Amino acid sequence: MLSLKLIQEQSPFVIERLKIKNFNAETLVGQILSLDEKRRSLQTRTDNQLAELNNLAKQIGQLYKEGKAAEAEGAKNQTAAIKEENRILKEEHAAAEVQLQSLLVQLPNLPYQLVPPGKTPEDNQLIRSGGKLPDAGQGLKPHWDLIAGNNLIDFELGVKLTGAGFPVYKREAARLQRALINFFLDRGIQAGYTEVQPPILVNEDSAYGTGQLPDKEGQMYRAEPEGFYLIPTAEVPVTNIFRDEILSADQLPVKYMAYTPCFRREAGSWGAHVRGLNRLHQFDKVEIVQVRHPDDSYNGLEEMVNYVESLVQSLGLPYRIIRLCGGDMGFTSAMTYDFEVYAAGQGRWLEVSSVSNFESFQANRLKLRYRDKNDKKTQLAHTLNGSALALPRIMAGLLENNQSGNEILIPQVLQPYTGFDRILL
RNA sequence: GGAGAGAUGGCCGAGUGGUCUAAGGCGCGCGCCUGGAAAGCGCGUAUCCUACGUGAAGUGGGAUCGAGGGUUCGAAUCCCUCUUUCUCCGCCA
């Protein structure tokens, strides 16, 4: 959520920037400004009435104490009319607040200066790439063909247990998955992240705090009767750790990391390119989250990008880093880098990480603030997060790029974790 | 799941209808003191909205004592609902 102050003071700038995201904010901003004016004038009036009532109450107390009961009764009679009037004004005020809020949450975050305009992934910027692309024409198989019939990843069994998109990993595949999780977590600790294990069900406040609600309700699984949501990413519980918190500036930057399963309904998004591990309803991910001083948040973003890059490099996967254009970015993000790994068997790039700076957009909803040492005032902090990394597509990348005859070679860095150096097919 | 006791500022903790503008302590900050420090002394120390002021300093108003509703001229205090913590019992990995 953008801060109201920004909209009040720089509405032309807000409208202009949002064009980069192909969002026409003119009407919405106009409504917000007039509603805000209404809200403030209602507040001034109710506050004045309340002040008057407070005064009267004090006088009445004083009169009783002085034994002037008759005068006190007279003063009491004055309050009734004011109270009634105030009740109505307060209702109007509350309604204006609610309506204002509902409009504010419809405005996406402003894109950062570096974000290129554009509407489709075609307009994204290639930042850099690395690793060695396989030579064409080697007859490399997609991962679902590689594992077909050898019982390593059992999609049908997952259907039996739950449904499509919930595979069962077995034997070396299960161990490889566990190895990857441990590898990512250990590397994260070396990079200065604090490991946490959050709940994977969250309440409505948390889903709202990071922006999954109100818009993406249909993308999350909901657990009744409590109405909890299964997290679509660890970003939700980990970032919400800081909801309603005021940090001192010297606590920044905060760097947290969590491994969790993630659950996504992906309603309506099942189509051609979603075979095998490419898109699942349940998958594992290690997520990194940072809370930063506003002056410092883009350094944080670069640091996170470099860190994620080091992970992909150490696994020896061909990758590219892409800066998303305005039209391809998420609602809450100010700038996003996607990491894609080349899946040699499919001949396509798979997104394995998305690293974003939300600036103060999430913090404003979360009421996550910091205070400088010599400053009385609180300021909104900046939040960032990224996958480091998402497991299934990394697994797909490893299977497809490291296939060699009838075996899959395990990258050296993983071997201490897996306990084997190849998977025989 | 049952019974009981709680939820007050960064922390501890007092406060059962008006003098709460929330006592006192701890912590923290600044100053005095000191060769320097400790101790001691003094001052300060929540958040949000709002009006004036440049978006500063500051001043005024309003709200917030777990959350929401109610009673009352007036609620931290009384009533109701919910959330949550602790203790005991039951169940349990």
Side-chain angles (χ1 to χ4, degrees), chain A residues 23 36 53 66-67 304 333 381:
Chain A
F23 188 93
D36 176 53
L53 287 171
E66 292 166 5
M304 289 167 79
S333 174

Side-chain angles (χ1 to χ4, degrees), chain A residues 52-53 55-61 63-64 68-83:
Chain A
E52 200 179 339
L53 287 171
N55 260 327
L56 281 170
K58 253 178 224 166
Q59 286 172 28
I60 290 165
L63 288 172
Y64 273 124
K68 300 173 182 169
E71 281 179 54
E73 289 301 323
K76 272 194 201 182
N77 292 336
Q78 285 181 51
T79 64
I82 304 173
K83 275 176 77 175

Side-chain angles (χ1 to χ4, degrees), chain A residues 180-408:
Chain A
L180 283 166
I181 293 164
N182 283 328
F183 172 67
F184 292 149
L185 288 173
D186 285 351
R187 293 292 287 259
I189 286 169
Q190 285 164 22
Y193 288 91
T194 302
E195 182 177 351
V196 294
Q197 287 193 12
I200 59 178
L201 273 72
V202 294
N203 59 30
E204 220 169 273
D205 286 346
S206 294
Y208 182 82
T210 34
Q212 277 69 30
L213 290 181
D215 293 329
K216 297 184 191 157
E217 166 139 43
Q219 296 294 337
M220 289 186 290
Y221 290 98
R222 195 175 154 97
E224 299 300 348
E226 284 80 6
F228 294 151
Y229 293 94
L230 278 72
I231 58 170
T233 160
E235 164 195 349
V236 179
V238 175
T239 310
N240 271 282
I241 289 173
F242 303 99
R243 172 152 47 88
D244 293 320
E245 294 293 325
I246 300 174
L247 305 172
S248 71
D250 54 21
Q251 291 176 269
L252 302 177
V254 174
K255 298 164 78 172
Y256 273 19
M257 161 183 69
Y259 153 71
T260 67
C262 302
F263 303 88
R264 297 189 183 176
R265 294 189 61 224
E266 306 283 7
S269 57
W270 292 81
H273 292 296
V274 296
R275 282 190 73 179
L277 296 170
N278 288 3
R279 178 169 292 166
L280 302 171
H281 286 311
Q282 175 181 334
F283 62 97
D284 287 333
K285 182 158 63 69
V286 173
E287 182 80 1
I288 51 178
V289 171
Q290 293 203 11
V291 181
R292 286 259 175 177
H293 193 285
D295 296 344
D296 189 37
S297 67
Y298 281 93
N299 292 333
L301 185 64
E302 292 311 311
E303 180 197 298
M304 289 167 79
V305 166
N306 290 336
Y307 170 65
V308 173
E309 184 176 21
S310 78
L311 291 180
V312 181
Q313 281 174 339
S314 66
L315 294 174
L317 294 168
Y319 67 93
R320 62 184 189 187
I321 305 174
I322 281 161
R323 178 150 55 213
L324 297 189
C325 72
D328 206 22
M329 275 170 67
F331 185 83
T332 54
S333 174
M335 184 152 81
T336 297
Y337 292 100
D338 271 6
F339 279 72
E340 295 182 336
V341 157
Y342 190 71
Q346 300 177 60
R348 357 179 351 234
W349 294 92
L350 300 178
E351 181 192 330
V352 295
S353 177
S354 188
V355 184
S356 302
N357 187 355
F358 303 96
E359 299 190 4
S360 60
F361 193 83
Q362 284 182 331
N364 191 34
R365 277 202 201 189
L366 292 162
K367 298 190 180 23
L368 162 54
R369 292 149 293 169
Y370 73 94
R371 195 200 321 266
D372 277 315
K373 255 271 184 294
N374 298 314
D375 200 348
K376 281 187 200 165
K377 288 202 313 180
T378 62
Q379 302 273 359
L380 293 173
H382 281 194
T383 60
L384 306 93
N385 69 46
S387 346
L389 290 158
L391 276 277
R393 292 178 188 165
I394 289 292
M395 170 106 54
L398 288 174
L399 293 172
E400 294 188 23
N401 288 289
N402 294 8
Q403 56 184 297
S404 169
N406 274 340
E407 51 190 38
I408 309 287

Side-chain angles (χ1 to χ4, degrees), chain A residues 98-118:
Chain A
V98 167
Q99 208 186 336
L100 181 59
Q101 194 71 10
S102 77
L103 293 180
L104 278 172
V105 298
Q106 291 174 36
L107 279 180
N109 199 3
L110 304 189
Y112 187 57
Q113 295 94 297
L114 289 177
V115 171

